[in-house]
Amino acid sequence: MKKQEIIDILSDNSKNDWLFKEADQVRRENVGDEVHLRGLIEFSNICKRQCKYCGLRSSNKEIERYRMLKDEILLYAKKAVNMGYQTLVLQSGEDDYYDTDKMIEIIREIKKFDIALTLSIGEKTYDEYKAFKDAGADRYLLRIETTDEELYKNMHPNTSFENRKRCLYDLKSLGYETGTGCLVGLPNQTTDSLANDILFFKELDADMVGIGPFIAHEQTPLAKSPNGDFWLALKVMALTRINLPDINIPATTAMETLNPQGRIIALQSGANVVMPNVTSKEYRAKYEIYPGKICINENPEQCRGCIEGKIISIGRTIATDKGFRKI
Ligand code: SAM
Ligand code: SF4
Ligand code: FES
């Protein structure tokens, strides 16, 4: 699609039903009815950065911090593998405790389970990304968050848009399946910039794109900003499916936080991936990126059963392979 066409659709709600149906159809034709489940391990909520929207930002002193050691991460990994997960996602704040050697050890151990491994641990150097890849990591998630450079600068003190982009192109060049995405509903974000976000996903040839509505967190500078709009986030996601037909697109947790049926609606509007949490209760509430996160009182077995039930209820199936991008 041309940029203006994307902007027109984003600005006009009269064609929403058509858009969601069209994205669902494109999803079915290109990636089929299978839903890929990725088991998510949020292994540290310690972060050195200051993203203005995020509850894990280092200056939030209200949050109780935790960091799992290798053996504990492996314990959750093993449990998830026993539950049938074929992909694990290791996510954290930018926590320098896990230096390259520690990460390599964790990656090598997890890869012994013969599953696909995704990392989502922030901005690193080319050499670090290369070392993780050589150790066996398959995929990496790093949202661009917004392609509006002014807004990016405002939201991310002491970091640069250029470096974020550099990271994504490094990941691509190293052969990672590269996931990116954006937040929808940041203060002063425009439909023009959301259209640019979608064009950026295309330019990068992203293998996976996660779209999440912004949700205001009390202990951040954006505490008083309004939440992003569920339907606008869904439209950005649907347009992403139409413009990048064969990629993997998750139905994000943030969508379900704003709408109790959020992930099912997303799965019927272009999404084909869900990332259930596989850690136990003691950590879930502490990984409070934003308030009201779903699943904080459930255990991994409950989440697995819950999401499987929902997926089957809409006539879809659970994939049994590792779910790489179909090329
Ligand atoms: N630290 C890594 C990074 O930033 O890439 C990974 C963890 S970070 C918590 C994962 C994602 O959470 C970010 O890419 C961001 O889009 C999302 N996020 C953070 N704060 C949020 C908020 N208030 N509302 C919605 N999503 C948020
Ligand atoms: Fe840290 Fe990621 Fe949150 Fe930014 S979005 S403060 S890098 S955890
Ligand atoms: Fe966690 Fe439904 S997926 S309770």
Side-chain angles (χ1 to χ4, degrees), residues 53-54 91-92 120 143 145 164 183 213 215 287 289-290:
Y53 41 80
C54 180
Q91 192 181 81
S92 68
S120 179
R143 289 183 177 172
E145 314 292 4
R164 195 80 174 174
L183 282 165
I215 301 170
Y287 201 82
I289 311 172
Y290 48 76

Side-chain angles (χ1 to χ4, degrees), residues 10-282:
L10 286 175
S11 327
D12 172 10
N13 281 328
S14 69
K15 299 194 189 81
N16 284 5
D17 285 348
W18 165 83
L19 173 67
F20 300 141
K21 279 202 186 88
E22 182 71 15
D24 195 39
Q25 179 72 16
V26 173
R27 185 271 309 155
R28 187 175 306 117
E29 285 166 5
N30 289 276
V31 294
D33 277 339
E34 289 190 329
V35 176
H36 299 279
L37 297 182
R38 326 284 203 201
L40 176 63
I41 301 178
E42 295 162 337
F43 68 94
S44 165
N45 69 355
I46 297 173
C47 188
K48 66 179 180 191
R49 294 188 52 180
Q50 286 291 356
C51 307
K52 281 192 187 159
Y53 41 80
C54 180
L56 306 191
R57 66 201 306 270
S58 58
S59 59
N60 179 7
K61 305 294 178 215
E62 304 291 310
I63 183 174
E64 197 186 318
R65 303 281 174 173
Y66 71 87
R67 169 187 286 151
M68 291 182 199
L69 301 184
K70 184 182 86 179
D71 287 349
E72 196 172 5
I73 298 174
L74 293 177
L75 210 76
Y76 285 118
K78 188 159 192 270
K79 214 171 152 189
V81 171
N82 288 340
M83 283 164 57
Y85 287 99
Q86 293 277 337
T87 292
L88 289 180
V89 182
L90 289 187
Q91 192 181 81
S92 68
E94 290 202 11
D95 181 353
D96 286 339
Y97 166 81
Y98 306 92
D99 58 18
T100 311
D101 288 344
K102 287 201 182 72
M103 280 314 300
I104 287 176
E105 251 187 87
I106 295 168
I107 294 165
R108 286 207 180 117
E109 290 294 325
I110 290 190
K111 284 300 288 183
K112 288 183 185 161
F113 294 122
D114 185 30
I115 42 123
L117 177 61
T118 306
L119 301 178
S120 179
I121 58 176
E123 295 178 24
K124 304 282 173 187
T125 64
Y126 178 90
D127 289 344
E128 288 169 310
Y129 287 145
K130 182 168 186 325
F132 303 156
K133 187 82 182 61
D134 291 344
D138 302 282
R139 307 185 181 122
Y140 206 101
L141 300 181
L142 187 81
R143 289 183 177 172
I144 190 75
E145 314 292 4
T146 174
T147 53
D148 176 336
E149 292 191 43
E150 263 314 296
L151 180 59
Y152 189 93
K153 222 165 107 188
N154 185 353
M155 290 292 117
H156 306 99
N158 312 320
T159 59
S160 79
F161 180 69
E162 283 67 36
N163 194 51
R164 195 80 174 174
K165 254 172 104 168
R166 190 271 308 157
C167 288
L168 286 165
Y169 281 98
D170 280 355
L171 290 163
K172 255 311 216 190
S173 75
L174 283 163
Y176 279 95
E177 275 208 343
T178 305
T180 188
C182 64
L183 282 165
V184 176
L186 290 170
N188 302 319
Q189 193 176 32
T190 60
T191 47
D192 188 279
S193 89
L194 289 170
N196 282 334
D197 294 351
I198 296 170
L199 297 178
F200 172 76
F201 305 151
K202 183 108 186 142
E203 176 195 303
L204 175 70
D205 187 24
D207 302 296
M208 172 163 166
V209 173
I211 310 287
F214 156 72
I215 301 170
H217 188 295
E218 199 52 47
Q219 271 85 43
T220 66
L222 301 188
K224 299 280 171 278
S225 301
N227 287 342
D229 180 66
F230 171 81
W231 296 104
L232 182 59
L234 195 72
K235 286 173 77 172
V236 175
M237 192 203 78
L239 283 161
T240 301
R241 168 61 71 201
I242 292 168
N243 283 279
L244 292 91
D246 66 344
I247 65 166
N248 285 319
I249 298 185
T252 57
T253 305
M255 285 197 177
E256 190 129 327
T257 301
L258 290 189
N259 182 321
Q261 297 300 319
R263 288 177 302 174
I264 287 302
I265 297 172
L267 285 172
Q268 294 176 311
S269 310
N272 69 323
V273 171
V274 181
M275 294 165 56
N277 197 316
V278 296
T279 55
S280 55
K281 275 185 213 169
E282 56 181 309

Side-chain angles (χ1 to χ4, degrees), residues 256 263 276 284 294-295 298 302-304 306-307 310:
E256 190 129 327
R263 288 177 302 174
R284 293 185 180 210
I294 57 164
C295 304
E298 278 75 20
Q302 285 169 315
C303 283
R304 177 84 191 197
C306 161
I307 200 66
K310 287 187 187 202

